[in-house]
Amino acid sequence: MRVEVQGIDKHFRKVHAVRELSFTVEPGRVTGFLGPNGSGKSTSMRLMLGLDKGKGQTLFDGKQLTDHKSVTRVVGAHLDAKFFHPKRTAYAHLRMLASESRISKARVNEVLQLVGLESVAKKRPGGFSLGMGQRLGLAGAILADPQVLILDEPANGLDPQSIQWMRDFLRFYASLGRTVLVSSHLLSEMQLLADDVVVIARGSLIASESMSAFLARSTGSSVKVRTNNVRGLAEALQSEGLSLSVTHGEELRIPNVTTDIVGEIAFRYSVPLLELTAETASLESVFLELTESGQEYRTGVSTPHLGGAL
């Protein structure tokens, strides 16, 4: 199910939290929703789901959410790790959600087992850790087997094994043709998880594209090539207007280009290649590079005088 966000916009008094934001989330892919603190990610998700009032609209398979017969089978959302009654058991919480959508008790038990909470199903989540609360929230989101998942920071509080489990689960869910939008501050994890990224800063769109295209934006991205004909390849690349550097022996590095372009040039000029490798910057470095002006604070500036506090 394709999700189209069209010009959503939100003010909180004098704060312009979301600025005419538009992007598309495609089915069969995991889309990472990224932005500095205060950039408007959570507000945007709430606008998409109709939980906040604002301008613009979000279409789910070409229709607004309220025009679908069963909202819970269209979209499942987890926006708050503590969104449950602390004195109602985990099982009772999910049964309450299930009754609204006419979901069987068997499905409730299945989901509890899937997220690893079957042993605490009869316990009250008021005493749950943050990670357990996250898993209960995910259980509620997938209960009706929705076509779309919208998750806000679902990995907060999870241990490394649980983070890996969630990554595998969300990628599997997307592989079924479902649509997954997930925000996170864990950029190294997001680089492993997401197929596409939507990046915002100060409520405005910075990028909406594939992960590979976003990483290629960095000035630190390059292609490494090894060949036994360095001179021939260098001349071919330079004749095509590309800059390069010889690192040592048989190795060249070409900045701001893709492996497809380099490989095609080498083929046309009949230069054999021993290795052709894309060396992309990390998601963290590209993210910081492109969102620096949207940070609430910046790195790389002089430290303020702390008056001997340290």
Side-chain angles (χ1 to χ4, degrees):
M1 180 175 287
R2 198 166 189 248
V3 179
E4 300 170 80
V5 179
Q6 300 178 345
I8 58 175
D9 194 278
K10 177 70 174 179
H11 283 83
F12 290 104
R13 295 183 180 178
K14 295 182 179 180
V15 177
H16 201 169
V18 180
R19 302 169 181 266
E20 296 185 358
L21 189 61
S22 298
F23 59 88
T24 300
V25 188
E26 298 290 348
R29 301 174 71 81
V30 177
T31 299
F33 195 25
L34 310 178
N37 284 334
S39 61
K41 300 187 302 297
S42 296
T43 301
S44 296
M45 288 179 159
R46 291 182 63 83
L47 287 170
M48 291 172 64
L49 294 167
L51 299 176
D52 277 351
K53 291 184 178 181
K55 297 179 181 178
Q57 64 177 358
T58 300
L59 302 181
F60 295 80
D61 201 20
K63 297 190 294 185
Q64 295 198 47
L65 195 54
T66 52
D67 292 333
H68 285 272
K69 184 177 180 180
S70 176
V71 170
T72 55
R73 297 186 186 278
V74 172
V75 60
H78 173 40
L79 306 184
D80 184 351
K82 296 294 184 179
F83 184 66
F84 45 72
H85 194 289
K87 295 186 177 180
R88 182 181 290 128
T89 67
Y91 177 82
H93 171 71
L94 293 180
R95 278 291 296 140
M96 178 192 69
L97 298 178
S99 62
E100 182 182 359
S101 303
R102 298 181 180 178
I103 296 169
S104 68
K105 293 181 181 179
R107 175 60 179 171
V108 172
N109 291 324
E110 178 186 349
V111 167
L112 282 167
Q113 184 175 9
L114 181 62
V115 300
L117 292 179
E118 68 274 21
S119 63
V120 294
K122 300 298 183 180
K123 293 187 177 181
R124 296 172 179 177
F128 282 7
S129 66
L130 178 58
M132 293 171 69
Q134 293 281 27
R135 284 186 280 159
L136 181 57
L138 179 62
I142 65 174
L143 190 59
D145 198 22
Q147 293 297 309
V148 180
L149 277 183
I150 296 180
L151 310 174
D152 192 7
E153 300 285 352
N156 276 1
L158 298 184
D159 58 34
Q161 290 82 3
S162 297
I163 290 175
Q164 182 180 9
W165 173 86
M166 181 168 288
R167 181 204 315 153
D168 293 342
F169 174 78
L170 294 179
R171 292 194 66 84
F172 170 75
Y173 204 82
S175 75
L176 299 175
R178 311 294 172 78
T179 306
V180 179
L181 177 69
V182 54
S183 75
S184 179
H185 285 106
L186 302 176
L187 297 182
S188 59
E189 173 58 28
M190 190 60 74
Q191 188 167 354
L192 297 173
L193 171 63
D195 303 296
D196 301 317
V197 289
V198 173
V199 184
I200 65 174
R202 296 188 184 275
S204 298
L205 186 69
I206 299 295
S208 178
E209 57 198 4
S210 69
M211 177 67 79
S212 59
F214 183 70
L215 295 177
R217 285 175 174 239
S218 173
T219 55
S221 297
S222 63
V223 169
K224 181 178 76 172
V225 185
R226 284 198 309 112
T227 176
N228 53 18
N229 185 5
V230 172
R231 182 174 180 177
L233 181 59
E235 290 176 351
L237 294 170
Q238 289 172 335
S239 68
E240 297 291 332
L242 298 179
S243 60
L244 53 94
S245 63
V246 180
T247 53
H248 60 80
E250 301 175 331
E251 192 172 292
L252 294 173
R253 271 188 171 78
I254 307 96
N256 303 319
V257 71
T258 65
T259 53
D260 289 349
I261 292 174
V262 175
E264 193 273 333
I265 292 172
F267 177 79
R268 282 196 285 113
Y269 285 82
S270 300
V271 178
L273 300 183
L274 304 176
E275 181 182 352
L276 180 61
T277 306
E279 295 187 325
T280 57
S282 70
L283 176 59
E284 178 178 305
S285 64
V286 184
F287 173 81
L288 292 175
E289 182 180 331
L290 295 180
T291 62
E292 184 181 10
S293 63
Q295 294 275 12
E296 292 183 346
Y297 54 87
R298 298 190 190 182
T299 56
V301 297
S302 58
T303 303
H305 179 62
L306 298 178
L310 297 180

